[in-house]
Amino acid sequence: MAQKKESVKLIANNKKAFHDFFIDETYEAGVALHGTEVKSLRMGKCSIKEAFIRIEDGEMYVYGMHVSPYEKGNIFNRDPLRVKKLLMHRAEINKLAGKIAEKGFTLVPLQVYFKEGRVKVEVGLARGKKLYDKREDSAKKDLRREFEREFKVKNL
């Protein structure tokens, strides 16, 4: 039996989350959407820069995920900033709720993508960075860029 290759198409990426947080663990969750929202996502019209995730009554919701209205959707379009429900197993949600209760942990969406025709969100369990951590990261990035530049010049 031939194995089916997993097709993943990235829709939106949250680079800001990696700048502002230390990502400890990642999870995959489905999203409950309406028809025109899916069509809009197929065209790549999504932003999760300011989005965050909350657990309420044993269910996960993503706030601030902007899905632009579908151009041909007219009356069927929903509010672009509508709160969207994330679909995960109850045990995983309870595990995450326990970890969030600890000091300094939060849930942030890292990526939105299509996986085998379904919209998925990569959820990151994150700890906030302090200002000095951000400076340290940018210094490392600058150093790495400098090394790459020197390596490139030497190999010409």
Side-chain angles (χ1 to χ4, degrees):
M1 191 154 116
Q3 282 189 343
K4 192 165 65 170
K5 186 182 160 214
E6 224 175 70
S7 61
V8 175
K9 181 188 170 214
L10 186 66
I11 301 167
N13 199 357
N14 191 355
K15 292 180 184 173
K16 187 179 176 194
F18 291 99
H19 182 262
D20 293 340
F21 299 100
F22 292 112
I23 308 299
D24 289 350
E25 296 177 35
T26 60
Y27 299 89
E28 184 178 75
V31 189
L33 296 170
H34 294 280
T36 55
E37 290 176 322
V38 176
K39 289 182 178 190
S40 183
L41 287 173
R42 287 207 186 281
M43 294 174 15
K45 308 257 176 124
C46 178
S47 173
I48 55 171
K49 280 188 175 69
E50 300 297 320
F52 60 97
I53 296 170
R54 281 199 183 137
I55 297 177
E56 298 168 357
D57 301 325
E59 295 181 340
M60 284 178 48
Y61 296 95
V62 63
Y63 291 82
M65 179 175 155
H66 188 279
V67 178
S68 299
Y70 182 57
E71 293 154 8
K72 300 176 185 123
N74 58 42
I75 62 167
F76 299 106
N77 280 331
R78 302 287 173 146
D79 177 30
L81 289 172
R82 179 180 73 84
V83 177
K84 293 154 191 73
K85 184 176 176 180
L86 294 180
L87 309 170
M88 282 180 89
H89 292 284
R90 172 90 49 220
E92 285 181 308
I93 293 174
N94 291 340
K95 178 181 167 188
L96 287 173
K99 288 191 177 183
I100 288 177
E102 293 178 30
K103 186 176 178 253
F105 279 106
T106 188
L107 290 174
V108 290
L110 302 175
Q111 290 182 341
V112 178
Y113 54 91
F114 278 105
K115 183 177 178 182
E116 297 175 9
R118 307 240 190 274
V119 179
K120 303 286 185 180
V121 174
E122 186 176 39
V123 177
L125 184 66
R127 286 180 291 121
K129 282 186 182 179
K130 303 279 190 261
L131 183 62
Y132 58 84
D133 291 328
K134 292 179 189 177
R135 286 185 187 141
E136 210 173 272
D137 280 354
S138 65
K140 285 180 186 174
K141 214 180 273 182
D142 290 343
L143 194 63
R144 186 175 48 84
R145 231 183 264 126
E146 193 65 37
F147 281 136
E148 286 175 1
R149 195 174 295 130
E150 286 177 21
F151 184 73
K152 189 176 180 183
V153 170
K154 286 179 184 176
N155 288 338
L156 284 178

